[in-house]
Amino acid sequence: MSARLMQGNEAIAEGALKAGVRFFGGYPITPSTEIAESLAKMLPKVGGTFIQMEDEIASMGVILGASLAGKKVLTASSGPGISLKQELIGYACAAEIPAVIVNVQRVGPSTGQPTAPSQGDVMQARWGTHGDHSIIVLSPWSVKEAFEIAVKAVNYAERFRTPVILLTDEIVGHLRENVELPTDIEVYPRRKPKISRAEGYQPFTPDQDLVPNVANFGEGYRIHVTGLIHDDTGFPSGSPKVTREQIKRMHDKISRANDEIIEVHQEFMDDADFAVISFGGTARTAYEAVLNARKRGIKVGFVRLITIFPFADKIISQISKNLRGILVAELNFGQIVYEVERAAQCPVKLCSKYDMTIFEPEEIEKSIDELILEVK
């Protein structure tokens, strides 16, 4: 396949389509709108459905309905729109409804600075909806990886019956690169019941991987779906025992696969005294800063978080044992730095920026030099 000039948002749309997404519900908002525009053109050509709803809340509701009816689904938004979706993201967690939510981050809070780059929604991605819940959050740094991560997000949503957040940013969303998209793609199918109604089927009885095989609406099974804590029948339960078991299972179904889900990109770590940790669009600049620092003889490594949550605690803990210090570069007031501090066994310094502009390599290099002085 010949190379194509593509935008990150366009690559997300194509990746979702390749993974089997056949329903998109959304509402336009910068800097995510190109995802909706692309799918509005592509979905009808493959028998899929595109619908623009009256607002972001309805957009989230309609994809959950389509998912329960058997479709692989996606919605995309940014900033204020993601905030509006939080109640129904929580519903999807409790009802175990597969769905992918793309957040192309921009400056906030509230309306903030539309279309200005930011990475300020990291903790919202993890804890934006209320209550104890697990979540999978993935973040690409290139156009090709945006395609690959979109495929992975859809697969994880289906495999674990959970909402998955594809957390990108304006930098990657609007980045254009020549890419050759992979053609050998693994697609996880929608889970199906393994027993019939006559054999005693209950929709939320977990399989061996702790994930239930819930039938799609309209396939002849009786299903009850609720955001309340429920037992295996799907009907609400006021039992402390059921509550404890259900909440723990919804965490464990993801945590037991952490070693597979968690992805980290590392370079120059074999001889590193220091490391720069970053993610998304900022990681591109951080990588350049690391290269420049190494040219000056500084033994600094590069660590990029591809999986944001579940967080790479074990990996960060292990690599930090051999480091004198870690610099975390992120385009916000400081968010993922606290996860790194919690896991690391060496000093951690924040390199933060939140003024609508992206990092220059020199800014991160300066923070590397400051870190070296601070730990001497």
Side-chain angles (χ1 to χ4, degrees):
M1 180 183 294
S2 59
R4 298 166 54 191
L5 181 64
M6 291 187 71
Q7 187 190 64
N9 283 342
E10 295 169 343
I12 289 171
E14 291 224 15
L17 205 69
K18 292 292 185 183
V21 166
R22 292 298 179 266
F23 189 95
F24 178 93
Y27 188 82
I29 180 172
T30 59
S32 74
T33 304
E34 293 86 359
I35 298 172
E37 291 173 342
S38 298
L39 288 171
K41 296 174 184 176
M42 294 189 293
L43 275 169
K45 296 177 181 178
V46 295
T49 301
F50 172 93
I51 183 167
Q52 179 176 312
M53 299 300 289
E54 65 268 28
D55 58 30
E56 291 88 349
I57 300 172
S59 300
M60 190 68 203
V62 76
I63 69 164
L64 297 187
S67 182
L68 288 169
K71 299 296 183 182
K72 293 185 178 183
V73 302
L74 181 137
T75 189
S77 192
S78 181
I82 297 295
S83 294
L84 289 168
K85 294 178 186 292
Q86 290 300 331
E87 181 180 359
L88 283 169
I89 291 174
Y91 185 90
C93 289
E96 298 183 84
I97 305 173
V100 176
I101 304 100
V102 183
N103 180 0
V104 188
Q105 296 169 93
R106 70 189 213 185
V107 174
S110 189
T111 315
Q113 295 282 8
T115 318
S118 175
Q119 295 176 314
D121 301 349
V122 175
M123 286 303 159
Q124 183 201 47
R126 179 64 187 91
W127 297 112
T129 195
H130 62 277
D132 288 314
H133 65 283
S134 57
I135 201 81
I136 297 174
V137 183
L138 308 172
S139 182
W141 80 328
S142 69
V143 173
K144 181 181 179 183
E145 195 171 71
F147 174 91
E148 295 167 342
I149 290 293
V151 172
K152 192 162 291 185
V154 176
N155 284 345
Y156 283 161
E158 296 294 326
R159 177 178 164 187
F160 297 104
R161 288 199 64 92
T162 187
V164 174
I165 295 178
L166 199 168
L167 188 68
T168 184
D169 49 57
E170 188 278 335
I171 302 167
V172 176
H174 286 161
L175 175 70
R176 291 188 184 274
E177 293 180 312
N178 273 320
V179 294
E180 290 189 19
L181 300 181
T183 55
D184 184 17
I185 297 166
E186 181 181 352
V187 175
Y188 193 93
R190 173 58 61 97
R191 301 177 73 109
K192 298 286 187 180
K194 293 183 177 179
I195 61 173
S196 67
R197 286 174 54 190
E199 294 172 307
Y201 167 76
Q202 292 185 331
F204 290 92
T205 298
D207 210 336
Q208 291 181 347
D209 61 359
L210 303 183
V211 182
N213 299 309
V214 184
N216 300 322
F217 275 92
E219 293 182 343
Y221 289 83
R222 292 178 180 175
I223 308 164
H224 187 275
V225 178
T226 177
L228 292 164
I229 297 296
H230 51 269
D231 58 22
D232 289 354
T233 68
F235 283 88
S237 172
S239 162
K241 179 176 181 291
V242 170
T243 302
R244 181 179 65 253
E245 290 174 349
Q246 285 293 90
I247 290 176
K248 186 175 187 304
R249 179 183 63 77
M250 287 189 287
H251 280 80
D252 289 350
K253 70 179 183 180
I254 292 174
S255 64
R256 71 187 310 188
N258 275 1
D259 289 345
E260 179 185 350
I261 295 171
I262 294 170
E263 290 186 75
V264 173
H265 168 201
Q266 301 183 50
E267 291 194 34
F268 316 119
M269 293 301 296
D270 290 344
D271 67 345
D273 293 325
F274 302 90
V276 176
I277 296 179
S278 194
F279 59 95
T282 297
R284 300 172 69 94
T285 310
Y287 186 75
E288 184 72 18
V290 167
L291 291 177
N292 292 342
R294 291 189 74 88
K295 289 176 183 176
R296 294 192 286 123
I298 300 172
K299 293 182 179 180
V300 57
F302 174 75
V303 179
R304 177 171 66 93
L305 304 174
I306 301 172
T307 306
I308 307 298
F309 295 106
F311 190 70
D313 296 83
K314 289 196 298 184
I315 296 173
I316 300 303
S317 176
Q318 185 61 40
I319 66 173
S320 67
K321 292 177 181 177
N322 301 315
L323 297 174
R324 294 172 55 201
I326 290 174
L327 180 73
V328 178
E330 51 183 330
L331 210 60
N332 54 46
F333 200 75
Q335 294 191 22
I336 206 71
V337 65
Y338 299 113
E339 294 294 302
V340 176
E341 284 180 340
R342 181 175 55 80
Q345 301 185 45
C346 67
V348 176
K349 178 180 174 63
L350 172 65
C351 179
S352 171
K353 195 172 186 181
Y354 41 90
D355 64 357
M356 295 179 59
T357 65
I358 65 173
F359 278 106
E360 296 293 336
E362 294 77 14
E363 294 173 300
I364 298 176
E365 284 184 73
K366 180 181 177 183
S367 288
I368 294 171
D369 293 339
E370 291 171 349
L371 172 63
I372 293 169
L373 290 173
E374 289 172 11
V375 300
K376 273 188 176 179

